[in-house]
Amino acid sequence: MVVEVKGRVEATESSQQKVEVNLLLLGANNVGKSALTVRFLTRRFIGEYGEMESVYSRVDQIHGQEVSFNVWDSLYTQDEEKSSSVSDKQLQWADGMILVYSICDHRSFDVVRQQLQYIRRHRKSVPVVIVANKRDLRHHRKVSDEEGRLLAQSQRCGFYEVSAAETYHGVLLVFHRLVDLVRESRALRKSSAGVRGIVRSVSARFGKKWVE
């Protein structure tokens, strides 16, 4: 299912090229992936969702630039052959990933760790943000803040502990931070490609002179 949500877009005198980003949400069931997605898209919190997988779209402004979001809210299914439950299609589609676990469920943290290991083996440099959700239920905490931060640091990921139920701002920061990481990754790839092109050009020129 594809749902399009249009955010408010203010016109600027110097219009910049629109950026499009594909963001994938991963994690076990019942950790709040859909709640985070809908909170970001509509500012509203809805606590109960059925088992469904959807791709949502939204246009927003970040740092004065128009950004088109495509958000894939994935469904976790345990696969015997691929225990990480991350498909090749998802890996290739995503420009950035949000891995969500519940601080009240250590098993969900283990699922995120497993998925992250799989992602780093197959797409080492893709930007990832880890989200510890359900901060409002910290009296039922099973995963410490330190565990989440250490995992994020060890795998070069962003980290946020939020409550989709309590606040919109924390959720907004997650998505905007991931867009920043995607931009940085694209700029780095473009810069590296430019350097490689210069090196090839110089090598070819010197090789030609050597032959002459």
Side-chain angles (χ1 to χ4, degrees):
M1 181 175 70
V2 178
V3 180
E4 186 169 3
V5 181
K6 292 290 186 180
R8 290 183 300 174
V9 179
E10 298 178 358
T12 56
E13 291 182 0
S14 57
S15 59
Q16 297 173 303
Q17 184 178 4
K18 182 165 70 174
V19 174
E20 184 171 3
V21 292
N22 295 332
L23 306 182
L24 173 67
L25 271 79
L26 295 169
N29 293 329
N30 301 314
V31 296
K33 296 192 299 293
S34 296
L36 284 163
T37 302
V38 172
R39 180 66 115 163
F40 167 65
L41 294 169
T42 70
R43 294 177 176 256
R44 293 180 298 166
F45 172 71
I46 302 174
E48 296 295 330
Y49 292 88
E51 292 189 359
M52 55 184 289
E53 185 165 277
S54 303
V55 178
Y56 302 88
S57 295
R58 165 178 169 162
V59 177
D60 207 347
Q61 285 273 346
I62 301 179
H63 308 313
Q65 186 171 32
E66 188 174 315
V67 179
S68 176
F69 291 88
N70 299 308
V71 183
W72 186 340
D73 176 15
S74 70
L75 183 65
Y76 179 77
T77 54
Q78 188 68 35
D79 189 327
E80 292 181 2
E81 295 182 359
K82 189 179 293 183
S83 58
S84 65
S85 189
V86 184
S87 70
D88 292 337
K89 180 180 179 180
Q90 290 172 329
L91 282 173
Q92 297 308 313
W93 179 86
D95 298 311
M97 302 183 187
I98 298 174
L99 273 60
V100 187
Y101 68 88
S102 165
I103 68 169
C104 307
D105 181 2
H106 206 284
R107 185 190 68 85
S108 71
F109 179 72
D110 294 335
V111 167
V112 162
R113 192 202 323 263
Q114 189 177 52
Q115 290 181 326
L116 185 55
Q117 289 173 349
Y118 185 85
I119 290 164
R120 288 305 188 214
R121 284 199 302 269
H122 294 84
R123 281 197 65 189
K124 187 176 294 185
S125 60
V126 67
V128 175
V129 171
I130 297 174
V131 174
N133 191 31
K134 304 191 179 183
R135 188 179 180 184
D136 54 304
L137 302 176
R138 46 188 174 273
H139 51 289
H140 295 304
R141 181 187 289 275
K142 296 294 189 297
V143 185
S144 70
D145 177 78
E146 184 180 13
E147 283 183 275
R149 291 186 184 279
L150 285 174
L151 176 62
Q153 290 173 5
S154 68
Q155 297 294 332
R156 307 175 310 283
C157 302
F159 177 80
Y160 290 88
E161 187 168 292
V162 304
S163 167
E166 284 187 336
T167 176
Y168 166 71
H169 183 66
V171 174
L172 184 69
L173 285 176
V174 169
F175 283 87
H176 282 201
R177 176 56 181 156
L178 186 53
V179 169
D180 287 342
L181 292 175
V182 169
R183 282 170 159 171
E184 291 170 10
S185 177
R186 287 175 174 174
L188 184 61
R189 288 200 305 271
K190 186 176 180 180
S191 176
S192 298
V195 170
R196 287 196 298 270
I198 292 171
V199 170
R200 285 196 298 269
S201 176
V202 170
S203 298
R205 183 172 300 176
F206 275 95
K208 183 179 179 180
K209 288 183 177 180
W210 179 261
V211 170
E212 291 174 349

